[in-house]
Amino acid sequence: MSKVRNTEEQVQQEVLFGTWPVLKKERKYGFIDALLVLSGYCIATWSYTQGSYLATLVGFKQLLIGAFLAALFMLLVYQLPVILSVRYGIDIWIWLRSVFGPKGVNILTIAIIVVNFPWYAVCCELFAGSMENLLGIFGITPFPGLHLILSLSCVILGTLIAYRGISSITWTTRILVPLLLLVGVVVVIVGFTSVPMDVIWNYTPELTEGTSRSFNYILSIEANFAFVITLVGGMAEVPRLCKSERSGYYAGVFGQGIAGSFFVVVGAVMAIAMQHVTGTMSDDPTLMMATLAVPALGLCSLLLVAFANIGTQAVGSYIYGVMLKSTFPKTSYRILILVLGAYVSILCVWGKIIEYFGSFLTIGALVYAPLAALLFVDFFMVRKQKIDLKSAFGLEGHDNYQYTKGFNIVGAVCFVLGFAFSLLIYDPIKSVVHVKWLFVLTPTGASFLFTALLYLGLSRIPYIRRYIRRDCSVVPDTRPFDRYKVPPKQNLFLTPLIWLVCKIIVAPYKLKIEKHNMKGVKPPFLVLGTHQSFYDFYVSPLCLIPFRANYISELEGFEAYGEWIYRQVGCLGTRKFINDRALLINIKKVIDRGGIMVIYPEARYANVGTQSELQMSVAKLAKHLNVPVVTLNMKGNYLLSPIWNLKLRKSVRLHADVDLALTAEQTQEMSLQQIHDILYDKLSYNEYEYQKKAGIKIDDSFRAEGLHKALYRCIWCGTDFSTVTDGSRIRCKKCGAEFELSPDGDLIRKDREGKITIPEWYDSIREDVDKEVDEGRYSLDIKVKVVALPNSVNFIDCGEGRLKHGSDGFDLTFNDYRQKKEITLHFAPKSTISVHTEYNYRDKFGECITLSTLDDTYFLYPLEEGFSATKIQFAAEHLAKINN
Amino acid sequence: MDEKEALKELSKRIDEVSGNNDIPRMSNKDMIIAAVFAAVCLAGVILGGIFL
């Protein structure tokens, strides 16, 4: 009983500690050590089966090329990710949790065992063959059923050794590797000396019906790919013990590619020699030695091979038993060993594993090819050689790799499609090629390429990237956005699609476009648009038909939808409220190449549907560019989806006025003030006035929800942050004043007579804040969560910080991810003419403001009470005004 | 080692290997050599299929 418990504990320890990162001081293997260990793993008796299988397909020269060059090629590619094993001291199964999720890896483990374990049935078959030969030497004729009894006895003996646990396995391994080497040496000597060399060198197999030389050659390359790729599961644990990445990598490459392949070639030599002497090809080394060598040598070799097969069966049962134990920790190790033994027994009873050797080899490879492709792409291109180990090990509070209930759907889909893709090319059971031109790549190679490209392509789609790169806060991409990159013209082929999509999206809201003085206006020209909601980006392209244009966009849009698509749409990336010289250079480039540059000078969606300040710099830009200036005054976009509650109000109708505000000549003749005034006038708007004029009734039950974010101060009692909204109402928690947002857009007092418009309320708060600032009463000092956006790839969590705002501007203290220390960034009042505000960023992250430097946008989320994005915006705008 | 201690030890190990753990890395030169080696092998496989 205690022995049973001891084995279970040992295996449990192996499961637990065997997966932990191996520290540098614990590493044992240099290149030679790792090479020997991995070579030992590769040279099982099945190498002979592989060799004889290859000899049925191709001539000896092609066999050599396939066994060495094809194997080395595949190994050089798919072994590359083992450098992660060395770097972090982990095996690839740990890394694969990031690709499939922990539960996904569990299922994969089972799949791997299902496709890998037939190797051990091959061993049992070889054992049975050896024993029959042994009996033959003693003149005993095998009776029917003996072969099955012998193969099952190999299963039973191997399982028994594995059943006894780690100490038995250690001893078995110590005996097994020298045994196999000894058998190999004997086979080489006998094989090469028993027939003339030119018989082997000039050997070519006879073509069977329905095959061709090229088909057989590709099939042999496929078999070599499959042979090396299917051993990855068992070899995954060695590289993490290596002292350098190079030694781990090349040990794997040469261990399989040279040592493993050598024994495959030996098996082929043996098979060819046997055919030459007896007329029958054989994969059984014992039969060859009994036939080609002196009987005594044959007898010894028979015993060696017999024990080698039992040993291989035992070691395989142990390795995969431990793998299963980590998947099913509550199940007894010994039960798992028995299950594995039962699986091999079923394969032995079936008795056709040797006959279907090529099929099972290819099926195994079809599972491993997408797996290897996913690992390769994930390591080098998606996660860029960095992993969140705490999430990979599932430590508490680290769940980046939990994905969807423990499964990474994207990884699973790629894996399944990669597997299916290879089946589309080739049916390994019936040996039928479905797609000839892809078969040239071999099913394994084609599946590898397809899966790699699919996963890479999917990882470039922003939504999917965010799903699979949940660890980016731990291992982020910190490269700053390339602001100087020349913006491409809007993609010519994409433009009609953009128009169609925009048309479909705005169709329910009956957009009416009115053009004024636009006859004969042709690019280049500058377009200045009002900015009320994301719908501006759908309306603007439709207003400019038949021309395509470039648009200025905040970088977070690039992150949300992907840099490639944003650039194809014609967007120029920048950050808000900074002095971006690169942006000016790119605007000039767009105009100089005869394009249309669309700018939304307010730079921020209207908080309550009214116009923001228009900076004098806009007039300067118009003068500098010396091209016509067109204004695009859009109406209804705010009403449709106000920033404080983005839910669509279905009854809204959209309108847009496109107007040639200034000719190129006028921009040169007029003063900056004149230009500014004309533009300000053309871009003025009040959405609630438009609502009344257009007779739009907004009666959605949620129509006031979120309004308190903009109207954060009670108009009646003047208390900050006291307003709340519910349905169509806004009320003060402190004084109880309550207003109903009418379908016309007015706020009607519920508890007494009176009404007010939203812009009136908003402006009164602004006046109060201006007064606070003027009287020196305004200040903010608050704990914030700081999230940086350096590029179009990812946000970076910088942890907690402190935001101070007062008459001297903003001071943001936080841990800078670039300098890896706490810093304080100062933003002077006159440089922050406004701040970007969000009331519920991306509908889930809550209220925030952003402050930007040239290379980072910092999203600042409050961690304490007393934060109002609107109030900070008012104060910043007023401070900028009085400091300029 | 109880579960708490085990987790502590695991966390310590993770921190150690996640930082600069001084394991000699594959350099760009090593990667290029591997790529050239792979290309030569692939060329050999293709030529073997065509000429042999």
Side-chain angles (χ1 to χ4, degrees), chain B residues 7-52:
Chain B
L7 282 174
K8 210 171 154 189
E9 172 63 20
L10 174 59
S11 196
K12 202 176 116 194
R13 281 171 175 266
I14 288 172
D15 288 339
E16 197 167 329
V17 296
S18 299
N20 185 8
N21 60 357
D22 286 344
I23 298 291
R25 303 219 167 172
M26 286 274 279
S27 64
N28 287 342
K29 194 178 149 194
D30 292 325
M31 292 286 190
I32 291 166
I33 290 170
V36 171
F37 191 11
V40 169
C41 291
L42 182 61
V45 171
I46 294 168
L47 293 174
I50 295 170
F51 295 111
L52 291 175

Side-chain angles (χ1 to χ4, degrees), chain A residues 20-21 23-24 26-27 62 65 69-70 73 76 83 87-88 217 221 243 245-246 249 254 389-390 393 395, chain B residues 6 9-10 13-15 17-18 21-26 30-31 34 37-38 41 44-45 48-49 52:
Chain A
W20 281 12
L23 303 180
K24 189 187 176 188
E26 298 165 339
R27 308 286 177 102
Q62 284 191 325
I65 286 175
L69 296 187
F73 168 72
L76 282 161
I83 64 178
R87 189 171 303 169
Y88 296 115
Y217 182 67
I221 300 300
K243 290 174 185 167
E245 291 180 2
R246 207 179 337 179
Y249 172 64
F254 294 132
L389 280 175
K390 288 186 177 170
F393 280 97
L395 294 190
Chain B
E9 172 63 20
L10 174 59
R13 281 171 175 266
I14 288 172
D15 288 339
V17 296
S18 299
N21 60 357
D22 286 344
I23 298 291
R25 303 219 167 172
M26 286 274 279
D30 292 325
M31 292 286 190
F37 191 11
C41 291
V45 171
L52 291 175

Side-chain angles (χ1 to χ4, degrees), chain A residues 43 54 83 161 299 302 368 405 472 590 594 656-657 671 756 809 828-829:
Chain A
I43 47 170
L54 292 176
I83 64 178
I161 296 170
L299 187 63
L302 276 171
Y368 272 106
K405 294 178 181 173
C472 69
V590 170
D657 287 299
S671 68
I756 189 169

Side-chain angles (χ1 to χ4, degrees), chain A residues 600-618:
Chain A
Y600 302 99
E602 292 169 280
R604 193 190 56 235
Y605 299 151
N607 282 351
V608 292
T610 51
Q611 186 183 12
S612 303
E613 286 283 324
L614 184 70
Q615 298 300 314
M616 192 56 82
S617 56
V618 178

Side-chain angles (χ1 to χ4, degrees), chain A residues 483-512:
Chain A
R483 293 177 294 114
Y484 284 92
K485 191 169 179 179
V486 178
K489 288 180 184 174
Q490 193 175 65
N491 190 306
L492 190 62
F493 301 102
L494 213 56
T495 305
L497 185 67
I498 292 168
W499 291 335
L500 180 68
V501 169
C502 293
K503 195 92 184 158
I504 291 168
I505 288 174
V506 301
Y509 313 109
K510 299 187 168 53
L511 170 67
K512 191 177 172 192

Side-chain angles (χ1 to χ4, degrees), chain A residues 509-542:
Chain A
Y509 313 109
K510 299 187 168 53
L511 170 67
K512 191 177 172 192
I513 299 170
E514 281 188 42
K515 294 191 177 181
H516 313 277
N517 310 314
M518 288 297 291
K519 203 169 178 188
V521 177
K522 285 183 180 162
F525 58 83
L526 175 67
V527 177
L528 300 174
T530 53
H531 209 23
Q532 299 171 1
S533 77
F534 197 80
Y535 271 71
D536 300 342
F537 297 111
Y538 300 128
V539 174
S540 302
L542 298 174

Side-chain angles (χ1 to χ4, degrees), chain A residues 738-759:
Chain A
E738 188 169 350
F739 297 82
E740 167 91 10
L741 179 58
S742 75
D744 294 325
D746 289 324
L747 289 167
I748 313 291
R749 185 80 192 248
K750 292 302 290 178
D751 48 346
R752 64 176 67 201
E753 280 291 303
K755 69 173 183 179
I756 189 169
T757 65
I758 291 172

